Amino acid sequence: MVDSENSYGERVSRLVGWGHWFAFFNIIAAMLVGTRYIAASPWPDTLLGQLYLLTSWIGHFGFLVFALYLLVLFPLTFIVPSRKLFRLLAVCFATFGLTVLLIDAQAYQSINLHLSPVVWDLLFNDESTTVSADLQHLFILLPPIFLAQLALSEWVWKKQRKLSHKHVGRPLAAVFFLCFISSHLIFIWADAYFYNPVTVQKANFPLSYPMTAKSFMEKHGLLDREEYLKKLKDNEGAVDLVSYPLTEIEFNRRSENLNVLIVSINNLRSDMLTAQTMPVSYGFALNNLNFTNHYSSSNDDFGVFGLMYGLPSSYASSIKAQGTNPLFMSILRDQGYSFKLYSGDNFTDDLYSDTIFRNYPMVDLTVAAEGETVPTVVSDNTAIERWQKDIQSGKGQPWFSYIELTTVDNFDAYQPKGSDLSAEQQFVAAYSAAATAADSEFAKILQTLADQGLMKNTVVVLTSNHGIEFNETKTRSWGSNSNYSQYQLRVPMVIHWPGKLAADYTHMTSHLDLTGTIMQDLSGVSTNVKSYSSGRNLFDERKRQWIIAGDTRELALITTTDTTVVDKFGNYSLYDHNYRILDDKNPKLPILMQGFTELQRFYAKSQ
């Protein structure tokens, strides 16, 4: 149907005017939906942060809606000959856009992610969940939104001339334009000068990509590169503040004052504790508390971070920036414990000096102990000998010691010579030989405790930072830090605890569980573990839905049947128990939601 009452030029001119006002009222509607993003995000503490939130809210939704109008509807003004057909198309497009915005807002409030093809597929899969049901119920709003858009379309068409005579169009357009430009200028400055109350809002709104201009500012003398790099280093990881613990720690009884010794044989797989490979450790496991289904919190050195803090590795950069100590160590210090920390490689990893043990005495093995000469080589044996000397000269107060054994780290030194084994077989043989050597070192530690009569009043923990793979996943993975299979995550967790009977525990446990166990069962803490840890008590045998592992780039949620790996962009992969990818299945939304929540739970709510 072609309109005959007006010329083509007049019809196009009126449709263009109508389209501008129709877009304006949809901007207002989008802004109203946008308040849900504001409600779901931390409120800025500073005036500039609040000003940026206001200007970005107005400017972003104004730009977003008007840009979509210019890209989609404006060209149709010149193509579609019928004004009624054009308006119907505009109503359909606006209805679709507003519905998608509502779904995105609901997704952001529920799982803190904006819509993407992956998130859409996850939310609307066949599995029925509360979140997916709530999102699908939003489609019920389609007819009301469509009718409202129809009414708006008709009203604007009738009131178009009246609206134009009010001469408010240009001032309104100027407000949206100024807010849009101002928000980007504020973010450019905030990004260059690390102003957190603004930069933390970067992803509050959908399709938000604030501008940065550090190169331009440097070129025109507005930014000093050396000063910026210094601030970059100083502010690394300081984006989010961590509330650790979430509530005040309370006690219901006195501490048992048992000594605590944690021995970490780095890179040790759980299946190495056999009578043939590690006879001493195997016997230790038989006669004590053996957690046979235990997982590290990471497939790299940050497994120690999870062990000592009870938090996933994603919190490490913020913990480092804040200078926060492991909570259970702070409590032990308050209860009168002394501390001595030892490493076979002298704690060469900055993770210890910068984060975990930054305020505790790490023994420098390159410096001679009193009455001794400087050791020519720093090794596990050096660390054990220094620990033995310090234990023997103890002052009677309860103590905490951490001994890192690094023999298995350097298993290449144990390569079999003159062997006709294949390269893969040599790899496994060298690793097993190194594990046997580490077992002998652990035997010296146990013998010292026995000789000094300390086994009756010392909690001894044998574990590792992470495991290592022998390409069992058939993905050419040799070593660690390449996937989240059980081979790279499962490690020993054996505890000698005076007064507790020997037992094997087969339920799933995690490195994140140790701190809560020590605080509750040793230090007398009554506060719920969830207030200071992402784990729970090791002796809690109730079935858990998942355990968490990962780093700053990826999240791994491990269940009894599968493993879900999600990267920081929301892309996910699902693997079976043998770490073979499952292309025809989706991860369970409740598990993903709980995992995402756990990665945000300890961040301060106000920025």
Side-chain angles (χ1 to χ4, degrees):
M1 180 175 67
V2 179
D3 293 315
S4 58
E5 67 270 27
N6 297 319
S7 68
Y8 173 80
E10 291 172 337
R11 189 165 60 252
V12 167
S13 176
R14 190 171 182 193
L15 285 175
V16 168
W18 174 87
H20 282 71
W21 283 109
F22 185 72
F24 166 73
F25 286 109
N26 273 283
I27 288 173
I28 302 301
M31 289 174 59
L32 291 175
V33 176
T35 58
R36 299 186 66 184
Y37 299 102
I38 297 174
S41 304
W43 182 256
D45 288 335
T46 66
L47 182 61
L48 183 58
Q50 295 164 8
L51 177 63
Y52 174 78
L53 178 61
L54 176 65
T55 56
S56 62
W57 173 57
I58 298 172
H60 178 71
F61 285 105
F63 171 79
L64 184 63
V65 175
F66 196 68
L68 289 172
Y69 163 75
L70 288 179
L71 290 172
V72 179
L73 296 181
F74 184 70
L76 293 179
T77 309
F78 302 93
I79 300 172
V80 178
S82 168
R83 62 179 177 81
K84 290 184 178 180
L85 178 58
F86 171 78
R87 285 165 53 194
L88 179 61
L89 291 174
V91 165
C92 292
F93 181 72
T95 301
F96 173 77
L98 205 56
T99 304
V100 170
L101 186 62
L102 281 167
I103 293 173
D104 183 84
Q106 183 69 26
Y108 185 79
Q109 285 188 317
S110 299
I111 59 176
N112 204 35
L113 287 176
H114 291 294
L115 283 183
S116 67
V118 172
V119 175
W120 184 279
D121 179 52
L122 182 62
L123 294 175
F124 295 101
N125 59 35
D126 294 333
E127 184 180 347
S128 177
T129 66
T130 303
V131 175
S132 61
D134 289 343
L135 287 165
Q136 290 166 17
H137 287 158
L138 290 176
F139 287 107
I140 299 173
L141 297 175
L142 262 173
I145 293 174
F146 179 76
L147 292 175
Q149 292 286 352
L150 270 179
L152 175 64
S153 167
E154 188 63 26
W155 183 82
V156 171
W157 185 261
K158 291 180 178 179
K159 301 291 184 180
Q160 182 180 342
R161 286 187 173 86
K162 198 176 206 179
L163 291 168
S164 299
H165 290 155
K166 291 183 180 293
H167 302 292
V168 295
R170 289 185 178 180
L172 287 172
V175 169
F176 285 115
F177 178 77
L178 288 175
C179 286
F180 178 75
I181 294 299
S182 299
S183 65
H184 282 275
L185 289 176
I186 292 172
F187 192 89
I188 286 171
W189 174 86
D191 178 65
Y193 290 94
F194 299 95
Y195 190 70
N196 188 54
V198 169
T199 56
V200 77
Q201 301 180 51
K202 181 178 181 179
N204 278 10
F205 300 128
L207 300 176
S208 177
Y209 304 101
M211 288 190 294
T212 59
K214 292 185 283 290
S215 299
F216 175 84
M217 294 175 71
E218 181 186 351
K219 182 178 179 181
H220 291 82
L222 301 174
L223 179 66
D224 184 275
R225 179 176 176 80
E226 295 302 323
E227 183 181 353
Y228 171 78
L229 292 175
K230 182 177 182 299
K231 286 184 177 181
L232 179 64
K233 184 176 181 180
D234 293 341
N235 284 272
E236 182 182 2
V239 174
D240 298 296
L241 297 178
V242 174
S243 297
Y244 173 74
L246 294 173
T247 59
E248 184 178 352
I249 298 299
E250 297 179 351
F251 301 83
N252 59 1
R253 58 179 176 81
R254 294 183 60 183
S255 168
E256 291 188 31
N257 287 335
L258 297 174
N259 305 317
V260 179
L261 169 62
I262 298 178
V263 180
S264 175
I265 303 178
N266 287 356
N267 279 277
L268 185 64
R269 292 165 53 119
S270 61
D271 59 5
M272 287 293 105
L273 264 65
T274 64
Q276 294 74 32
T277 305
M278 301 184 72
V280 174
S281 302
Y282 176 73
F284 182 71
L286 285 178
N287 295 302
N288 290 287
L289 308 166
N290 186 17
F291 298 87
T292 60
N293 195 16
H294 185 84
Y295 290 77
S296 174
S297 55
S298 184
N299 59 4
D300 59 15
D301 292 343
F302 277 83
V304 180
F305 175 85
L307 183 74
M308 304 302 286
Y309 282 91
L311 299 177
S313 303
S314 58
Y315 290 103
S317 58
S318 294
I319 289 289
K320 173 185 174 182
Q322 291 175 220
T324 307
N325 295 321
L327 184 60
F328 87 96
M329 292 181 67
S330 298
I331 290 174
L332 291 179
R333 172 176 278 177
D334 293 342
Q335 293 176 339
Y337 280 67
S338 63
F339 293 84
K340 287 293 179 70
L341 316 166
Y342 311 81
S343 171
D345 64 6
N346 216 34
F347 292 116
T348 56
D349 193 324
D350 293 340
L351 174 64
Y352 296 101
S353 58
D354 292 348
T355 307
I356 300 176
F357 297 145
R358 65 190 301 172
N359 295 315
Y360 292 88
M362 294 182 291
V363 176
D364 187 353
L365 299 180
T366 63
V367 177
E370 185 178 347
E372 296 184 358
T373 58
V374 177
T376 56
V377 178
V378 172
S379 65
D380 287 352
N381 194 56
T382 311
I384 292 170
E385 288 178 352
R386 183 68 66 87
W387 171 78
Q388 290 170 331
K389 182 178 178 63
D390 291 339
I391 289 298
Q392 292 166 2
S393 61
K395 299 179 180 179
Q397 67 184 120
W399 49 262
F400 172 91
S401 285
Y402 180 91
I403 303 178
E404 180 186 47
L405 301 181
T406 59
T407 295
V408 182
D409 285 355
N410 307 307
F411 65 89
D412 281 347
Y414 292 85
Q415 288 283 354
K417 297 180 180 179
S419 172
D420 57 356
L421 299 176
S422 65
E424 291 81 1
Q425 291 171 327
Q426 290 185 36
F427 183 95
V428 175
Y431 179 86
S432 298
T436 301
D439 186 63
S440 299
E441 293 161 351
F442 181 59
K444 297 176 186 176
I445 295 172
L446 293 181
Q447 188 61 51
T448 300
L449 292 172
D451 292 344
Q452 297 296 316
L454 293 172
M455 291 298 288
K456 63 181 182 296
N457 63 345
T458 302
V459 175
V460 183
V461 179
L462 172 64
T463 189
S464 181
N465 54 355
H466 58 81
I468 198 169
E469 184 183 346
F470 303 147
N471 195 33
E472 285 95 342
T473 60
K474 307 303 179 186
T475 56
R476 297 183 180 178
S477 295
W478 295 86
S480 59
N481 197 22
S482 57
N483 63 50
Y484 295 97
S485 65
Q486 59 177 311
Y487 311 106
Q488 297 190 32
L489 289 178
R490 285 186 63 173
V491 295
M493 174 57 72
V494 185
I495 303 178
H496 167 76
W497 198 302
K500 293 185 183 291
L501 298 175
D504 285 345
Y505 294 91
T506 59
H507 63 285
M508 290 180 70
T509 56
S510 164
H511 265 14
L512 306 180
D513 301 339
L514 181 65
T515 59
T517 307
I518 291 178
M519 288 171 66
Q520 287 189 331
D521 292 14
L522 178 67
S523 299
V525 171
S526 60
T527 306
N528 193 303
V529 175
K530 286 190 172 295
S531 295
Y532 52 84
S533 172
S534 293
R536 64 187 191 186
N537 195 301
L538 281 166
F539 300 105
D540 184 348
E541 297 185 65
R542 289 174 301 169
K543 184 178 180 180
R544 62 204 308 174
Q545 286 189 297
W546 48 267
I547 58 172
I548 196 169
D551 54 26
T552 56
R553 298 171 289 110
E554 293 177 317
L555 161 70
L557 293 166
I558 300 125
T559 72
T560 55
T561 58
D562 54 48
T563 297
T564 302
V565 179
V566 187
D567 66 21
K568 61 182 179 181
F569 303 108
N571 301 309
Y572 66 83
S573 299
L574 187 64
Y575 301 88
D576 65 15
H577 186 65
N578 295 315
Y579 214 73
R580 291 178 174 81
I581 195 161
L582 299 171
D583 291 322
D584 57 340
K585 291 186 178 180
N586 290 317
K588 295 179 180 178
L589 182 57
I591 290 177
L592 272 185
M593 284 183 57
Q594 292 167 26
F596 289 140
T597 300
E598 199 58 47
L599 294 185
Q600 298 292 325
R601 193 163 62 87
F602 287 91
Y603 284 123
K605 300 303 179 185
S606 60
Q607 301 290 342

